[in-house]
Amino acid sequence: MDGAIASGDKSLLMGKLAFAISIKDMDSDTSNKVLVVLANAGMAEAHIQLYKRYGSGDTLPNDCKKALFHLTAAAELGDSDAMAQVAAEYHQRECYMRKGPILTNIDLDEARKWYRKASESGNAWSSEMLADMLINERKARDCSRDELKEIEGLYIKAGKFFKLGNIYCTSTHTNNCSVEEMEAARKWYLRGRASKGNDAERQACTEVLRSLGEPDLHDRRPENSQTSLIEILLAPVALLIWSSIGMALLGLVLSINAITLPLIIIGAIVFGVFRAFRKNS
């Protein structure tokens, strides 16, 4: 154990962590001691395991204060999922997909702080949650330019274009939207429909665009269809012109050959006669 910690070798430390997890049911005391040593050495994954055990009372006494300590320690060590969980604890007093007791009281400032840290670490869910907190059921028109810029950036990171469109204008409140708001909403819905990797997002944006009279992708005619038709009509003409030019060049070559070949033959004959005459003389 000491050797693995002293070396700082991640693979060795992960091996010790796997060992501690594997013996939990057979020897919980040793398992927990190994986790404590690894956590004290700065291993975020060990803190996560201790958080789960203290939070659920699994092999360790149920202790919410210690559970939150280890969860926060993992977050401070850079674990983005732990950051998101800390934020959710302070935001809603319950974590997404978490089973266990309430660990904290609501503290929205702490929640925003940890959502922002998790978002900066690449946690998309935290980006969405922070954007939801910042917009706080308002509309884009109610936000300052700086607020709106941050909110848009967060929703983009989370891939939540449907929500982005909704903060400008929803399909059920189009009468209350300005032309500019409608266009901004449409822009984000279109981007969401074209997004990859999120079927639910694409479907939601497609449905609202349909209600706004925007044709589906497979119904849209290509914008350059007129140009394409012209190109199709001009293709045979271009082929005929190039064929004519090719035939003319080929005829020129054949004409040159028709004159050149006899001259070469005549020249060869004259040269042969001349050589024979000189030899005889």
Side-chain angles (χ1 to χ4, degrees), residues 139-192:
K139 291 296 181 184
R141 69 181 75 160
D142 304 317
C143 303
S144 69
R145 182 175 298 180
D146 289 341
E147 283 181 314
L148 196 55
K149 182 178 180 181
E150 182 178 13
I151 291 165
E152 285 185 348
L154 289 165
Y155 277 135
I156 290 170
K157 285 175 70 174
K160 295 299 178 179
F161 301 104
F162 179 73
K163 284 188 173 182
L164 252 175
N166 281 349
I167 70 174
Y168 284 95
C169 184
T170 65
S171 60
T172 56
H173 295 91
T174 53
N175 293 334
N176 299 323
C177 302
S178 66
V179 174
E180 291 79 9
E181 287 173 328
M182 280 292 297
E183 286 306 307
R186 190 185 300 271
K187 177 187 75 171
W188 293 118
Y189 292 137
L190 286 169
R191 185 164 172 183

Side-chain angles (χ1 to χ4, degrees), residues 18-211:
F19 166 74
I21 295 172
S22 69
I23 65 169
K24 183 187 75 169
D25 295 330
M26 296 180 292
D27 189 349
S28 60
D29 286 342
T30 301
S31 175
N32 292 327
K33 287 176 181 178
V34 172
L35 290 178
V36 169
V37 172
L38 292 173
N40 290 338
M43 191 173 188
E45 295 86 348
H47 279 294
I48 293 292
Q49 291 298 317
L50 290 169
Y51 149 68
K52 291 177 179 178
R53 296 186 186 189
Y54 277 118
S56 63
D58 183 11
T59 74
L60 285 170
N62 183 242
D63 189 325
C64 292
K65 187 175 181 180
K66 288 183 178 179
L68 181 61
F69 167 81
H70 286 291
L71 179 62
T72 306
E76 290 173 342
L77 287 167
D79 188 295
S80 64
D81 289 336
M83 294 176 192
Q85 277 188 292
V86 171
E89 290 286 359
Y90 283 111
H91 182 200
Q92 301 167 332
R93 294 194 297 179
E94 58 183 4
C95 283
Y96 66 105
M97 299 179 67
R98 179 181 67 80
K99 296 179 181 179
I102 294 170
L103 302 184
T104 70
N105 294 319
I106 289 176
D107 186 332
L108 297 184
D109 288 337
E110 280 294 301
R112 280 188 287 268
K113 181 185 81 173
W114 285 109
Y115 278 139
R116 185 168 278 108
K117 286 177 177 288
S119 174
E120 290 169 355
S121 295
N123 189 287
W125 181 83
S126 293
S127 297
E128 179 186 0
M129 294 301 293
L130 178 57
D132 287 348
M133 290 187 74
L134 294 177
I135 194 69
N136 195 24
E137 299 183 356
R138 294 179 296 165
K139 291 296 181 184
R141 69 181 75 160
D142 304 317
C143 303
S144 69
R145 182 175 298 180
D146 289 341
E147 283 181 314
L148 196 55
K149 182 178 180 181
E150 182 178 13
I151 291 165
E152 285 185 348
L154 289 165
Y155 277 135
I156 290 170
K157 285 175 70 174
K160 295 299 178 179
F161 301 104
F162 179 73
K163 284 188 173 182
L164 252 175
N166 281 349
I167 70 174
Y168 284 95
C169 184
T170 65
S171 60
T172 56
H173 295 91
T174 53
N175 293 334
N176 299 323
C177 302
S178 66
V179 174
E180 291 79 9
E181 287 173 328
M182 280 292 297
E183 286 306 307
R186 190 185 300 271
K187 177 187 75 171
W188 293 118
Y189 292 137
L190 286 169
R191 185 164 172 183
R193 186 176 67 177
S195 62
K196 298 179 180 179
N198 190 330
D199 292 337
E201 184 73 17
R202 286 200 304 273
Q203 185 61 35
C205 290
T206 298
E207 290 298 329
V208 72
L209 284 169
R210 196 174 289 150
S211 71

Side-chain angles (χ1 to χ4, degrees), residues 247-263:
M247 292 298 293
L249 291 173
L250 180 61
L252 179 62
V253 172
L254 292 175
S255 298
I256 293 173
N257 288 340
I259 297 171
T260 305
L261 189 60
L263 290 176

